[in-house]
Amino acid sequence: MKKLLFLCFLFVSACQTIGQGNYNIKGDTNDLPGWVSVFQTATSSTETTINILRPRLAELNYEVEGLGNQKIIKTVSGPHIHWKVDRIHIKDLSPQKKYRLNVRKKRGNRIIDWREFKSLNTDKKSAQFIVGSCMSDSHAFKHVRDRIWDRIQSHDVDFLLLLGDQVYVDDFDFVKRQKANEFDIWTRYIDSLRKIPLFQMRKLTPVFAVWDDHDFGTNDSDKNFKSKKAAEKIFTAFFGGENIKGVYESSKSGVFASFDGFGHRFLLMDNRYYREPSQKKAFGHWGKKQHQWFKEKLTQSQNPIWLANGNQFFAPATIITRKNGSKKQINESFYADHPEHFKTLMSDIKKAQSPVAFLSGDIHLSELVEVEKELLGYKTYEVTSSPLHSYIFRSKSGEQKFLNNPRRIIGHKDHNYILVESSKVEGRWNIKATSYGVTQDTPYFQKEFSIKK
C-alpha cells in the first residue's frame, strides 16, 4: 500500500511539474499573455502599428528588444470605462527578424506581458492569408473559439482579414437594437476582445479589418445609426493603424482602407457608415465619397485587386414568409440592397485594367461564387467566409439549407474560416481557397481557380 501511495505521489508531482513548465509559472505570479490585449494592425516590411488594451490606471512602458522603449502616439478612452487603448508605431523593422514586445509596469519595472511579432515581406509576389467573420463572445461558443484560433495560428499565414461582426454590440442579452450609446459600444468591445484568443496569443499576426452591422452597433444598420461616430472612434482604436506610404492608407471618416503588398491590392470597404436605407440611391451602399476613393484605387492599380466588404456582393435577396403571411428578406447584399450602385460598381470594374476578385462575410455559412464572364468581361469569384464562432442557423427537416445564390459552386455551413493562397504568375492570377473548421481534420472544401483579364 505504501508503495502504491508513493507511486501516486510521484505521478501527481510529475503532472504538476509538467503543468508548471507549460505555463512558466514563477512564484506568486505568472507571465502568461493576457494581462493586456494586443492588436497588430497596419504592417509593412519596416513598420507596424500595435494597439494595446490596458487597465486605465496602469502606468506601462512598451519596449521592443533591440529597438528600445516605444512612444505612445495615441491613447483612446471612453466614458466611465476601466480600460484605455494605447497605440505605438514601430519603425526600423526587418522582415527577416523576429521581435519581442515587452509590456512593463512602471512600478517595480517588471514585465507583466510580452508578445512576439514580425513585419511583412510585402515584396513577395504571393500571399497566404485567412479570411473570417462573425466572432461571438457568448459563452456558448467558448469551446469553438479556443479550438478554431489554435488551428488558425497553426497555419502561420502572412496576415488575417476580418470582415465584420468581430464584436456583437447588440447582443440581445446586453444592448437593445438601435439603442447602443458610446458606453454600450465600449463595453461590448472590451467584453468581446478580452475573450477572443487571437488578442491574447503570444505570437501576433497582422490584422486588417472592416466592420459590418453588429460591430457598427446594431443589426442591418445604415448611416442614420445615432452612435456611428462613437462606433468609428472605438473600432479604429482597436483595429486602426497608422498610414504607411505606398503600403497602407486608412480613411479619415468611416473605416475603409487600402493595403498594397505581395503583388496585390486589398481594398477594405465600409458598408455601414455611409449606407443609405433607400435602394434607389445612386451610391447607396458605400456613399459617393467612398465610391470615388474606390474608383481611384481601382484605376491606379497595376496589380490584382481583392475587394472586401462586410456583406456579400452577388447574392440575390432570400425572402421568407412569416407565420402571419408577411414577407421578410433575411440577408443583405450589394446586389439586392442597392441595385443602382451595384450597376455602377460593375461598370467601373469592367473598365479597369486590373482584375478584381471579391471577399465577404456575414451570412453564417461559407461559399465560393463564380461570376460569369459576361458581367465583367472575364470570369471571377467571390469568397465568403462565415462564421468563425457564432450562431449556425440550422435548417429544419424539409427546409432549404443555404440562402439563395444561383452562382454558388460550393459551400458549407459550420464554424469555419477560409485560407486563401493567392499569386500572380505569367499574367494569370492563381487562387486556392480552403475552408477549415473544428469538427474534422480535413478541409470542408477546397477549390483552385485562375483569373485572367
Side-chain angles (χ1 to χ4, degrees):
M1 183 60 135
K2 290 181 179 179
K3 184 176 181 181
L4 178 61
L5 290 172
F6 178 71
L7 290 173
C8 290
F9 171 77
L10 288 178
F11 175 78
V12 171
S13 299
C15 290
Q16 289 176 340
T17 302
I18 292 170
Q20 289 175 1
N22 286 343
Y23 291 103
N24 198 22
I25 295 172
K26 300 175 182 177
D28 297 328
T29 63
N30 70 74
D31 63 351
L32 292 173
W35 190 304
V36 295
S37 298
V38 185
F39 308 74
Q40 185 180 7
T41 62
T43 303
S44 69
S45 59
T46 60
E47 302 178 34
T48 192
T49 298
I50 295 181
N51 303 319
I52 302 141
L53 175 66
R54 52 93 172 171
R56 66 175 182 177
L57 299 181
E59 295 185 345
L60 305 179
N61 283 329
Y62 307 114
E63 66 173 9
V64 175
E65 293 184 0
L67 297 175
N69 286 341
Q70 301 298 307
K71 181 181 178 181
I72 299 171
I73 62 171
K74 182 186 297 184
T75 297
V76 184
S77 61
H80 312 296
I81 299 298
H82 291 108
W83 299 83
K84 293 183 177 181
V85 182
D86 291 335
R87 173 173 294 178
I88 57 177
H89 184 199
I90 307 169
K91 300 182 179 181
D92 301 320
L93 302 175
S94 168
Q96 281 75 46
K97 294 182 63 176
K98 293 181 180 179
Y99 297 89
R100 172 167 159 155
L101 170 68
N102 291 326
V103 180
R104 287 187 180 273
K105 205 164 190 178
K106 289 184 179 179
R107 183 176 181 181
N109 192 35
R110 64 188 179 93
I111 296 174
I112 60 169
D113 203 338
W114 60 270
R115 306 301 170 92
E116 296 176 350
F117 71 95
K118 294 174 64 178
S119 62
L120 291 173
N121 183 5
T122 53
D123 291 333
K124 287 196 309 178
K125 298 306 179 185
S126 63
Q128 187 179 68
F129 57 94
I130 281 172
V131 184
S133 68
C134 305
M135 298 158 53
S136 172
D137 69 324
S138 169
H139 184 73
F141 303 111
K142 185 180 187 306
H143 64 299
V144 179
R145 280 199 302 271
D146 293 345
R147 292 163 65 196
I148 207 162
W149 285 109
D150 278 346
R151 184 158 197 182
I152 286 172
Q153 192 166 59
S154 72
H155 294 291
D156 194 27
V157 294
D158 296 308
F159 56 91
L160 306 177
L161 288 180
L162 300 181
L163 301 185
D165 298 343
Q166 285 78 251
V167 177
Y168 282 78
V169 169
D170 57 340
D171 184 294
F172 288 115
D173 291 337
F174 297 101
V175 179
K176 290 183 178 180
R177 290 190 164 169
Q178 307 295 335
K179 301 294 184 181
N181 56 30
E182 183 176 355
F183 175 82
D184 294 325
I185 299 171
W186 266 111
T187 302
R188 292 296 298 128
Y189 268 68
I190 293 166
D191 285 348
S192 185
L193 301 178
R194 289 288 293 165
K195 293 177 184 175
I196 294 174
L198 169 64
F199 308 113
Q200 324 304 326
M201 287 179 174
R202 187 69 83 193
K203 180 182 175 184
L204 301 180
T205 303
V207 173
F208 299 91
V210 291
W211 59 21
D212 200 16
D213 51 348
H214 295 295
D215 36 11
F216 182 57
T218 192
N219 188 56
D220 295 349
S221 41
D222 55 44
K223 70 175 189 177
N224 296 319
F225 175 53
K226 68 172 187 176
S227 299
K228 73 176 189 177
K229 289 298 295 182
E232 176 193 33
K233 165 188 169 183
I234 296 164
F235 184 91
T236 54
F238 289 99
F239 294 107
E242 295 298 298
N243 287 351
I244 303 172
K245 187 175 180 180
V247 177
Y248 180 81
E249 178 187 315
S250 59
S251 58
K252 294 182 179 179
S253 62
V255 299
F256 55 95
S258 67
F259 167 59
D260 288 285
F262 306 94
H264 299 72
R265 172 163 284 182
F266 298 83
L267 300 180
L268 287 77
M269 308 304 293
D270 179 344
N271 66 335
R272 295 295 162 185
Y273 197 84
Y274 301 99
R275 188 187 189 110
E276 296 281 355
S278 170
Q279 290 190 341
K280 298 179 180 179
K281 292 287 187 177
F283 297 96
H285 207 70
W286 293 336
K288 187 174 182 179
K289 175 183 176 181
Q290 185 179 186
H291 184 92
Q292 186 60 43
W293 177 89
F294 155 76
K295 191 174 178 179
E296 291 172 1
K297 293 294 181 182
L298 174 72
T299 56
Q300 292 167 359
S301 180
Q302 305 296 313
N303 292 320
I305 294 172
W306 282 106
L307 181 58
N309 196 66
N311 54 226
Q312 288 188 296
F313 288 90
F314 293 95
T318 298
I319 308 294
I320 63 168
T321 302
R322 294 168 166 169
K323 291 181 179 180
N324 63 6
S326 63
K327 304 289 186 180
K328 180 185 178 183
Q329 181 179 329
I330 60 171
N331 66 321
E332 293 182 296
S333 80
F334 208 133
Y335 171 81
D337 295 337
H338 297 103
E340 294 303 314
H341 193 177
F342 182 81
K343 290 177 185 176
T344 303
L345 176 67
M346 294 298 105
S347 176
D348 288 342
I349 291 174
K350 190 173 185 178
K351 297 172 188 174
Q353 180 179 348
S354 297
V356 175
F358 302 83
L359 299 167
S360 57
D362 177 49
I363 59 172
H364 295 248
L365 62 92
S366 288
E367 66 181 15
L368 300 182
V369 161
E370 185 177 277
V371 181
E372 63 277 13
K373 182 178 179 180
E374 291 73 20
L375 189 60
L376 295 173
Y378 56 95
K379 188 184 293 185
T380 189
Y381 298 85
E382 178 177 0
V383 178
T384 300
S385 180
S386 174
L388 278 160
H389 38 83
S390 189
Y391 304 91
I392 304 292
F393 301 107
R394 305 291 185 187
S395 303
K396 297 178 182 178
S397 179
E399 289 182 346
Q400 184 176 330
K401 183 177 181 180
F402 293 109
L403 300 172
N404 298 323
N405 201 332
R407 292 185 171 103
R408 180 187 302 118
I409 55 176
I410 196 168
H412 190 79
K413 184 186 282 191
D414 215 329
H415 300 111
N416 78 113
Y417 57 89
I418 294 183
L419 171 65
V420 177
E421 298 166 77
S422 183
S423 62
K424 185 179 179 182
V425 180
E426 297 179 351
R428 185 174 291 275
W429 185 5
N430 298 321
I431 300 166
K432 181 164 74 171
T434 309
S435 168
Y436 291 98
V438 296
T439 60
Q440 62 187 47
D441 293 332
T442 55
Y444 292 139
F445 63 76
Q446 185 176 83
K447 184 73 174 177
E448 295 186 48
F449 45 92
S450 294
I451 299 172
K452 184 174 177 62
K453 183 173 171 61

